[in-house]
Amino acid sequence: MTKDQIKSTLALTLEDHQLSRSEREALFQVFEPLRDAVEPLELRRLAFEVARDALRDSSDGGILAWLEALCKVLDRLEPKTEVRVAEAYFSPQDECWRRIVHLLDGARQHVDICVFTITDDRLSEAIVAAHRRGVAVRVLTDNEKAEDEGSDIDRLHQAGVPLRTDRSLHHMHHKFALFDNRLLLNGSYNWTRGAALYNEENFAVTDERRLISAYIKAFEQLWNRLS
């Protein structure tokens, strides 16, 4: 969504110089998916531009009331400093793979997975299930590990899951995933049966916005580089 499109959307809600409850909720639904691409501060700046343009043609106090109501909508988009999710998981035991399956099952919009190797069929089944119910799933993995016996990468490819692998002499050794850009999973845990049954591994799950933003950027850069 371009800045001009954002301003046009805002201007439409200003035509009657008020912002109804339904308009407030509609704007939140429009802007909420954009908050990783457009900072709330930039949205505020555009809103003030729209209000300033309107005030040139009218001194109606309703414009300021509209702006005040809109700022309350934008307040809801501000990154939360309070971390509500801060979880740690350890293997060997079942809690790691079960938590990953739960996160995959709970995803509603998109899942980005950047993992060195995937051989645990339970996790692959959950990835395919998310893809089939319309979640935008993307998987980045290591090219050498994708060829290993027991790798589920070909299975994911056959199911239509978008995949990219590195083609360098070195390894794509990350082990992180993003769920609806709201939760980040990151740690040493490979998505394998060995990690679940035998290895001393760990990962953390958090909703800390600064970390999530950094990993979104890292994933996008790697995804684009491997296109």
Side-chain angles (χ1 to χ4, degrees):
M1 196 172 193
T2 67
K3 292 179 181 179
D4 286 341
Q5 289 173 325
I6 291 172
K7 290 179 67 174
S8 295
T9 300
L10 293 173
L12 285 174
T13 68
L14 182 55
E15 288 181 348
D16 59 357
H17 292 185
Q18 58 183 325
L19 197 64
S20 68
R21 178 178 296 180
S22 61
E23 286 176 325
R24 291 197 299 269
E25 189 57 34
L27 284 175
F28 179 79
Q29 295 300 324
V30 168
F31 293 144
E32 198 274 339
L34 302 177
R35 63 179 173 180
D36 290 312
V38 182
E39 293 289 335
L41 185 62
E42 176 65 8
L43 291 175
R44 288 179 189 275
R45 187 186 69 78
L46 295 173
F48 273 86
E49 283 187 11
V50 171
R52 188 164 54 248
D53 291 343
L55 283 168
R56 290 195 185 102
D57 301 322
S58 172
S59 59
D60 188 343
I63 296 173
L64 295 180
W66 171 88
L67 185 59
E68 183 180 3
L70 179 60
C71 284
K72 291 180 180 179
V73 174
L74 299 181
D75 284 343
R76 296 167 61 190
L77 299 173
E78 290 287 349
K80 294 179 173 59
T81 55
E82 179 186 1
V83 176
R84 293 175 296 177
V85 179
E87 305 167 354
Y89 296 87
F90 300 90
S91 68
Q93 51 187 309
D94 287 341
E95 66 173 9
C96 285
W97 73 265
R98 289 187 186 278
R99 182 57 171 136
I100 296 172
V101 168
H102 181 73
L103 289 166
L104 288 165
D105 288 348
R108 292 293 174 263
Q109 295 179 320
H110 36 79
V111 174
D112 290 329
I113 299 166
C114 188
V115 178
F116 181 52
T117 181
I118 303 175
T119 65
D120 192 329
D121 293 347
R122 298 166 298 191
L123 303 183
S124 299
E125 288 171 4
I127 294 170
V128 172
H131 169 70
R132 286 177 175 167
R133 70 173 183 270
V135 176
V137 181
R138 297 184 295 179
V139 176
L140 285 168
T141 192
D142 185 74
N143 58 335
E144 291 184 20
K145 301 307 291 183
E147 302 298 327
D148 280 357
E149 183 178 355
S151 172
D152 288 338
I153 296 304
D154 186 62
R155 174 184 178 185
L156 297 179
H157 175 71
Q158 293 298 324
V161 176
L163 292 161
R164 291 184 184 175
T165 60
D166 77 313
R167 295 176 295 277
S168 71
L169 297 176
H170 310 290
H171 287 305
M172 199 302 297
H173 208 243
H174 290 301
K175 294 109 176 176
F176 72 86
L178 294 150
F179 302 89
D180 291 328
N181 285 352
R182 292 180 177 275
L183 290 174
L184 165 69
L185 179 155
N186 184 49
S188 69
Y189 190 85
N190 275 310
W191 293 22
T192 66
R193 285 281 183 142
L197 293 173
Y198 310 115
N199 297 352
E200 298 290 343
E201 306 277 7
N202 75 86
F203 63 74
V205 177
T206 183
D207 65 350
E208 209 285 324
R209 290 303 307 171
R210 288 169 297 180
L211 284 176
I212 289 172
S213 295
Y215 278 86
I216 290 171
K217 181 178 179 180
F219 186 95
E220 293 296 341
Q221 288 177 338
L222 191 54
W223 182 263
N224 292 332
R225 196 168 82 227
L226 299 180
S227 61

